[in-house]
């Protein structure tokens, strides 16, 4: 398990590193940062499994790092001298909140939580993959939502829209599903159908539900439920060709 430390005090950084090295030797240290800007860059480039956050940094609070990153693929543990941030920490999906001065037992307990959480995530993803392989791909896909795993029929998908690192799937019956995948991942999942087209960096539509293409105020696609979707100029020619091939 690879980890990163966000900490602006050198003594605290060294203490935490030494405790982890001695009591959690199977963890692999990738790097550290002491500011919000450095923290965002470090986590984005190193892609850790686990991040230890001090809260008060030189240029603000480390919650801003999580807000800037949006959807995260790592576990969060806060190590801080202040107890007043606990509620906000757990609102940012913290696994643990350790008050300084911490002990080896605190670190061991928090790391154990992280390992167990990662293991559960792995098992969930494995189950999802298994379910996907056993789904009739000509008819349905399986996808993880905030409520669990949904089996969604291809014909029921009207369009998809990026929401930062998440994606919203709009269904023909008016329902909407928020999924923890980027739009590019959902597009790849649906690529075997040949009936979806990426009209814009943030939009994917099912071609058979396209009702109108309007050039007024720029190129806009209207779906059969009157949803308006932008059509990027550089994608227009390919979109028209895909639409003609479908017809």
């Amino acid at each position: 398990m690879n980890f990163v430390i966000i900490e602006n005090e050198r003594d605290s950084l060294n203490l935490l590193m030494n405790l982890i090295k001695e009591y959690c030797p199977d963890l692999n240290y990738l790097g550290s940062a002491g500011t919000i800007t450095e923290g965002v860059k470090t986590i984005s480039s190193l892609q850790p499994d686990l991040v230890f956050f001090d809260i008060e940094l030189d240029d603000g609070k480390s919650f801003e790092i999580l807000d800037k990153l949006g959807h995260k693929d790592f576990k969060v543990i806060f190590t801080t001298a202040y107890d007043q941030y606990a509620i906000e920490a757990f609102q940012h999906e913290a696994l643990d909140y350790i008050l300084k001065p911490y002990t080896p037992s605190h670190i061991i307990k928090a790391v154990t939580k992280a390992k167990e959480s990662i293991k559960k995530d792995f098992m969930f993803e494995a189950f999802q993959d298994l379910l996907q392989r056993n789904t009739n791909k000509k008819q349905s896909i399986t996808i993880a939502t905030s409520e669990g795993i949904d089996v969604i029929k291809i014909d029921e998908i009207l369009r998809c829209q990026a929401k930062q690192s998440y994606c919203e799937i709009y269904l023909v019956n008016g329902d909407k599903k928020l999924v923890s995948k980027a739009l590019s991942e959902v597009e790849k999942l649906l690529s075997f159908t040949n009936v979806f087209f990426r009209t814009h960096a943030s939009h994917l539509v099912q071609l058979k539900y396209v009702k109108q293409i309007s050039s007024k105020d720029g190129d806009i696609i209207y779906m059969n439920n009157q949803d308006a979707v932008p059509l990027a100029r550089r994608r227009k020619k390919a979109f028209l060709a895909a639409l003609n091939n479908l017809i």
Side-chain angles (χ1 to χ4, degrees):
M1 186 163 62
N2 299 317
F3 74 98
V4 161
I5 300 175
I6 307 300
E7 172 64 72
N8 65 332
E9 297 179 359
R10 176 56 58 180
D11 290 343
S12 296
L13 173 63
N14 291 336
L15 174 61
L16 183 55
M17 287 176 59
N18 290 334
L19 286 174
I20 293 173
K21 182 177 180 180
E22 182 173 356
Y23 294 98
C24 308
D26 53 334
L27 267 62
N28 179 47
Y29 173 69
L30 296 180
S32 65
T35 66
I36 293 169
T37 301
E38 291 174 355
V40 172
K41 291 180 180 178
T42 298
I43 294 172
S44 298
S45 62
L46 298 180
Q47 296 292 304
D49 303 302
L50 172 64
V51 181
F52 291 89
F53 286 92
D54 184 20
I55 292 180
E56 294 200 351
L57 305 176
D58 293 338
D59 55 346
K61 295 180 177 61
S62 60
F63 299 127
E64 294 181 47
I65 297 175
L66 294 169
D67 293 337
K68 289 177 182 293
L69 289 171
H71 176 59
K72 60 184 184 301
D73 295 320
F74 54 87
K75 303 302 176 183
V76 174
I77 295 173
F78 286 99
T79 58
T80 177
Y82 306 94
D83 60 4
Q84 67 265 34
Y85 299 118
I87 293 177
E88 190 171 358
F90 288 110
Q91 287 174 341
H92 283 81
E93 301 179 25
L95 281 179
D96 213 334
Y97 188 90
I98 305 174
L99 288 175
K100 299 177 182 178
Y102 36 74
T103 65
S105 63
H106 290 143
I107 300 301
I108 293 171
K109 182 179 178 181
V111 169
T112 300
K113 283 184 182 179
K115 290 179 179 179
E116 291 174 350
S117 181
I118 289 173
K119 183 179 179 180
K120 287 179 181 178
D121 289 348
F122 176 80
M123 293 175 67
F124 182 83
E125 290 173 4
F127 173 73
Q128 184 183 358
D129 289 342
L130 178 63
L131 187 60
Q132 180 66 54
R133 287 197 298 270
N134 286 281
T135 299
N136 185 341
K137 289 190 174 182
K138 292 183 179 179
Q139 297 178 0
S140 306
I141 60 170
T142 59
I143 201 156
T145 69
S146 57
E147 300 175 351
I149 296 178
D150 283 5
V151 179
I152 303 175
K153 291 183 178 180
I154 301 299
D155 280 349
E156 294 179 353
I157 300 175
L158 179 76
R159 65 184 183 90
C160 306
Q161 183 172 346
K163 291 291 183 181
Q164 295 181 334
S165 55
Y166 291 86
C167 178
E168 286 182 330
I169 297 179
Y170 292 79
L171 305 181
V172 294
N173 65 1
D175 288 347
K176 183 170 61 176
K177 304 284 186 180
L178 179 65
V179 302
S180 55
K181 288 181 180 292
L183 180 61
S184 59
E185 295 179 83
V186 175
E187 181 183 20
K188 184 177 179 181
L189 194 62
L190 293 166
S191 62
F192 70 90
T193 65
N194 296 318
V195 296
F196 288 86
F197 191 90
R198 188 81 168 264
T199 65
H200 182 274
S202 300
H203 294 273
L204 179 73
V205 303
Q206 180 154 193
L207 294 169
K208 71 177 184 178
Y209 293 126
V210 171
K211 182 179 181 181
Q212 181 185 9
I213 305 167
S214 174
S215 298
K216 185 179 180 180
D217 298 323
D219 291 318
I220 299 294
I221 297 168
Y222 289 96
M223 309 301 291
N224 65 358
N225 69 340
Q226 295 305 313
D227 279 358
V229 177
L231 174 61
R233 185 184 301 274
R234 63 185 179 86
R235 300 174 192 255
K236 185 174 181 178
K237 184 176 180 180
F239 172 73
L240 293 174
L243 200 58
N244 287 332
N245 288 336
L246 183 68
I247 297 173

